[in-house]
Amino acid sequence: MDNITPKVVKIHDVKIDQEYMQWLGEIKARYRNTQIKAAVKVNAEQLLFNWQLGRDLVMRKAEEKWGSGIVEQVSLDLQAAFPESKGFSTTNLWYMKQWYQFYAGAIPKLQQSDGDFQFPESQSGIKLQQLVGELQHAEDSQDHGMTLPGMFMLVPWGHHILILSKCKNIEEAIFYIAKTISGNWSRSTLENCLKSDLYHTSGGAITNYAEKLPSPQSELAQAISKDTYDFGFLSLDERYKEEALETELEKHLTRFLLELGSGFAYLGRQKQIIVAGKTRTLDMLFFHIPLNCYIVVELKAVPFQPECR
């Protein structure tokens, strides 16, 4: 964190007051904003280069024209021409080619699934139709291939490689792209969500949200509820008790929040509330920002019996 106290020059005609401090804060904020914009621009330009190089390797049929070792040759030539630059390894070039191929061949499939698959608007603000439209609009003539969809520029290259490496189909890949953008996911967060198979487990829990909650809250509540949760990061004895589970979850709160999903804020454990004149103790209490409501987590190390609550 920056030291907010400015260094005063050794002259007598300088007066540091509250107005100056406020102005200095505005200058710093503008410069930080400029730095962020510059980083985003650099990332977008690098992604565009990677996409175009991958497209060249495909559209020019480089291996047929110049031989099976042409990707390695291009890698060596680029590293020799730009020794200070990273990202020209043979492996990275292969990823560029695969990245282009994966999405360039996806438009017909996306058109077929357009009406059946979409993200909840209230959760991510990104529908599959939106990205399908971008991919279709980005399609050039057959001779020039497909241009990079603008939405892809919002996701860093390392994230794209992870998605490309782990996703089995285009719908799954676009799901993680949309989640990365809407949740501002770090690479480690994306990796954890890929490992826990969020695409197949999110929204799969058996609930009564549709009957008990109004729309669109019911759809959003369902979307954040996983079929299964992976708490393998905990270290517990085989015959652990609920208190030990609660303690371990709090000790690994960051991982626990990642497993729950985006939008959760932790408020504490063993919180007491009064319902119908009786005191109830909540195991763990959260607040979910998109839902704008409290979420109570009741931990059970034995089969849950709702009539006991």
Side-chain angles (χ1 to χ4, degrees), residues 117-129 175 178-179 182 202-203 216 218-224:
F117 180 85
Q118 68 180 47
F119 308 109
E121 185 96 37
S122 55
Q123 181 179 13
S124 65
I126 300 170
K127 290 186 176 182
L128 177 63
Q129 290 91 328
F175 172 86
K179 287 288 189 181
S182 63
S202 63
S218 58
E219 290 90 346
L220 179 55
Q222 184 64 50
I224 68 171

Side-chain angles (χ1 to χ4, degrees), residues 67-107:
S68 59
I70 190 59
V71 174
E72 290 81 356
Q73 185 61 50
V74 172
S75 171
L76 290 172
D77 289 338
L78 289 176
Q79 290 183 67
F82 307 102
E84 74 287 351
S85 299
K86 298 180 180 179
F88 291 136
S89 68
T90 301
T91 301
N92 215 31
L93 265 60
W94 279 116
Y95 275 130
M96 294 175 196
K97 180 182 178 181
Q98 292 167 15
W99 187 41
Y100 177 81
Q101 285 177 315
F102 185 76
Y103 292 105
I107 290 179

Side-chain angles (χ1 to χ4, degrees), residues 22-247:
Q22 182 178 352
W23 176 50
L24 182 62
E26 292 172 359
I27 295 173
K28 291 179 180 179
R30 284 202 304 267
Y31 186 71
R32 290 192 189 98
N33 191 43
T34 301
Q35 288 179 311
I36 293 171
K37 287 182 178 179
V40 171
K41 179 67 173 176
V42 169
N43 178 69
E45 292 296 332
Q46 184 63 57
L47 287 171
L48 179 59
F49 175 85
N50 292 355
W51 180 269
Q52 291 175 339
L53 181 49
R55 184 178 65 182
D56 285 351
L57 291 170
V58 173
M59 301 303 296
R60 290 177 180 271
K61 299 180 179 179
E63 292 171 272
E64 295 180 22
K65 186 178 293 186
W66 293 296
S68 59
I70 190 59
V71 174
E72 290 81 356
Q73 185 61 50
V74 172
S75 171
L76 290 172
D77 289 338
L78 289 176
Q79 290 183 67
F82 307 102
E84 74 287 351
S85 299
K86 298 180 180 179
F88 291 136
S89 68
T90 301
T91 301
N92 215 31
L93 265 60
W94 279 116
Y95 275 130
M96 294 175 196
K97 180 182 178 181
Q98 292 167 15
W99 187 41
Y100 177 81
Q101 285 177 315
F102 185 76
Y103 292 105
I107 290 179
K109 188 173 182 180
L110 285 169
Q111 289 174 321
Q112 292 174 6
S113 61
D114 189 11
D116 302 325
F117 180 85
Q118 68 180 47
F119 308 109
E121 185 96 37
S122 55
Q123 181 179 13
S124 65
I126 300 170
K127 290 186 176 182
L128 177 63
Q129 290 91 328
Q130 181 181 346
L131 187 48
V132 171
E134 274 208 54
L135 287 166
Q136 291 170 339
H137 185 264
E139 190 176 20
D140 290 333
S141 67
Q142 188 175 2
D143 293 336
H144 295 92
M146 195 177 93
T147 57
L148 176 65
M151 192 178 293
F152 283 22
M153 296 186 184
L154 302 177
V155 179
W157 176 237
H159 290 56
H160 279 296
I161 292 178
L162 266 178
I163 292 170
L164 182 66
S165 303
K166 302 296 183 180
C167 293
K168 298 178 177 62
N169 55 61
I170 190 70
E171 291 88 354
E172 185 178 1
I174 292 175
F175 172 86
Y176 287 110
I177 286 176
K179 287 288 189 181
T180 297
I181 296 170
S182 63
N184 195 26
W185 282 358
S186 66
R187 195 183 307 185
S188 60
T189 300
L190 172 61
E191 194 166 11
N192 286 330
C193 291
L194 284 164
K195 184 179 179 181
S196 64
D197 197 15
L198 180 65
Y199 173 67
H200 291 102
T201 60
S202 63
I206 299 174
T207 70
N208 61 351
Y209 295 148
E211 295 79 21
K212 300 297 183 180
L213 295 175
S215 181
Q217 284 85 355
S218 58
E219 290 90 346
L220 179 55
Q222 184 64 50
I224 68 171
S225 304
K226 291 186 183 181
D227 183 18
T228 57
Y229 291 85
D230 181 11
F231 296 145
F233 54 86
L234 301 179
S235 55
L236 289 167
D237 295 333
E238 186 175 349
R239 296 183 180 180
Y240 63 86
K241 296 183 178 180
E242 292 165 16
E243 184 180 358
L245 173 60
E246 185 180 317
T247 301

